[in-house]
Amino acid sequence: MPTISSLIPRALVAATVISALASVAWAQQPPTVRIRGTIESVDGAMLTIKSREGTDMKVRVTDNVVVVGIAKSSLAEIKPNSYIGVSAMPEPDGTQKALAIHIFSEAQRGTGEGFRAWDLRPNSTMTNATVAETVTGTDGQNIMVKYKDGEKKVVVPPGDADRRICYG
């Protein structure tokens, strides 16, 4: 019968092998790729997309693909407790200058909640959060948003108020 001291090295070797195999399996998952552009045509599971850079791309989608459309909206639609996604540029004072704001439907509440880097422009960010309050200030519309790990002040400059707001 094996002793405890002889089982420990075996358990460590087994744990190392399992960890290595799990790492290999995880590393083989395809990376997420975001494509910004316009869907030009659909042929079964194949999409032809014209990227924002003008490149024609063919993309095969899975059976469970999610495609989301957007429609123009206005800043007046953003109210306390709305769930929004804000593409923004960080400002030196810590605020986020809105580039685009997406008003999510109630069914989408919680989608991608939080703050992270984004790919709209170099150094841009994305914050998906619940609106705590909106205030019109001298610098434009100020929106305080809260998410599970924090909060951000978003500034929508005067003149941009309804230009980049969409529902979807």
Side-chain angles (χ1 to χ4, degrees):
M1 174 167 192
T3 64
I4 295 288
S5 61
S6 69
L7 290 177
I8 291 174
R10 290 181 194 169
L12 289 174
V13 169
T16 303
V17 169
I18 290 169
S19 176
L21 291 174
S23 297
V24 169
W26 181 80
Q28 292 176 351
Q29 297 297 321
T32 298
V33 176
R34 287 189 190 93
I35 299 171
R36 294 184 184 276
T38 303
I39 298 173
E40 298 287 320
S41 66
V42 178
D43 183 13
M46 186 66 69
L47 302 179
T48 301
I49 299 173
K50 181 163 295 282
S51 75
R52 67 179 172 186
E53 294 80 19
T55 305
D56 288 327
M57 306 173 82
K58 298 264 188 204
V59 177
R60 181 174 306 281
V61 295
T62 60
D63 291 340
N64 62 348
V65 68
V66 176
V67 177
V68 179
I70 56 174
K72 188 161 178 54
S73 190
S74 75
L75 197 56
E77 296 299 316
I78 300 173
K79 300 180 178 7
N81 203 40
S82 295
Y83 189 74
I84 64 174
V86 181
S87 301
M89 293 300 294
E91 295 293 294
D93 65 358
T95 62
Q96 299 289 310
K97 182 178 177 184
L99 298 172
I101 300 176
H102 302 272
I103 305 168
F104 291 108
S105 68
E106 190 57 35
Q108 295 171 303
R109 182 174 293 277
T111 301
E113 184 177 4
F115 175 77
R116 63 196 151 279
W118 199 239
D119 64 349
L120 185 59
R121 291 189 186 162
N123 301 316
S124 65
T125 64
M126 174 59 77
T127 307
N128 288 5
T130 300
V131 174
E133 69 177 331
T134 64
V135 177
T136 302
T138 56
D139 56 349
Q141 187 75 21
N142 296 311
I143 304 170
M144 181 60 72
V145 295
K146 294 188 178 191
Y147 50 95
K148 62 185 168 205
D149 295 327
E151 63 184 25
K152 293 288 178 195
K153 178 181 175 185
V154 177
V155 177
V156 183
D160 279 356
D162 289 328
R163 194 167 53 140
R164 298 181 183 189
I165 312 299
C166 58
Y167 181 81

